[in-house]
Amino acid sequence: MWIGDITEHWTGEGKLYRCAFKDVYSNRIVGYSIDSRMKSRLAVTALNNAVARRGDVAGCVVHTDRGSQFRSRKFVGALNRHHMLGSMGRVGACGDNAAMESFFSLLQKNVLNRRTWATRDELRIAIVTWIERTYHRRRRQDGLGRLTPIEYETIMTTTATQAA
């Protein structure tokens, strides 16, 4: 199961939008997209990036809020193309996506609010660096037995392979 959401942050050039999908199993951000416009393309690109990273995703449930980007024909078409199942939270049920909101809160605290960002490219590089270097490889998580998402996936994949 993956969960997804979109958030935004101001730069000197205007807003920068981020859409990300998180694998609930390992807490890894499996796909994301960053753009200056909040269109359905933002969500579709993030989903396609996640599929490219994971490979065979048929049957995977993708849970989001009821944002227009996630209800768009393009996004629903991408879900269908990859044989994935869409799921949406109830109206006003913010707890449905709490794990994704928690990730965005960490990003806000550790990157976005640390300084003012003059350009979108400057912020984009900081976000990608934090996700790929810090969140995935350095940040230990209690829910994963004090492992990072990459360590957890590596150990669990090896264990599953040995069991088979």
Side-chain angles (χ1 to χ4, degrees):
M1 179 174 194
W2 295 350
I3 54 176
D5 204 358
I6 297 175
T7 189
E8 63 188 39
H9 193 75
W10 280 97
T11 70
E13 297 177 330
K15 287 183 181 179
L16 186 68
Y17 299 93
R18 295 164 306 287
C19 179
F21 289 97
K22 181 178 188 175
D23 188 324
V24 176
Y25 170 72
S26 65
N27 290 341
R28 184 174 182 176
I29 302 302
V30 290
Y32 53 91
S33 176
I34 303 170
D35 203 334
S36 61
R37 303 188 67 195
M38 188 168 52
K39 298 274 195 174
S40 60
R41 179 183 68 217
L42 180 71
V44 171
T45 301
L47 182 69
N48 288 338
N49 289 341
V51 169
R53 177 173 273 176
R54 286 297 203 217
D56 182 22
V57 295
C60 180
V61 175
V62 179
H63 184 79
T64 63
D65 61 18
R66 293 187 175 273
S68 61
Q69 296 78 13
F70 301 120
R71 290 182 286 119
S72 71
R73 281 194 312 258
K74 290 179 183 178
F75 187 77
V76 172
L79 286 174
N80 291 335
R81 225 179 5 268
H82 299 302
H83 307 287
M84 301 175 88
L85 304 169
S87 166
M88 291 191 171
R90 298 176 316 261
V91 174
C94 58
D96 281 359
N97 227 12
M100 201 64 216
E101 297 295 342
S102 174
F103 167 76
F104 281 141
S105 176
L106 279 171
L107 179 64
Q108 190 85 28
K109 184 172 68 173
N110 290 296
V111 178
L112 307 177
N113 290 347
R114 296 271 173 152
R115 56 176 272 212
T116 56
W117 301 93
T119 67
R120 289 180 177 119
D121 280 340
E122 187 177 72
L123 181 55
R124 180 188 329 271
I125 290 167
I127 291 168
V128 171
T129 301
W130 185 80
I131 291 172
E132 297 299 340
R133 188 185 325 166
T134 305
Y135 184 79
H136 283 165
R137 292 178 170 81
R138 295 181 182 163
R139 188 174 182 285
R140 302 193 175 283
Q141 300 183 27
D142 288 335
L144 301 177
R146 300 293 302 147
L147 297 172
T148 68
I150 298 288
E151 290 170 338
Y152 186 80
E153 284 186 354
T154 301
I155 289 169
M156 296 311 286
T157 301
T158 303
T159 304
T161 304
Q162 290 172 348

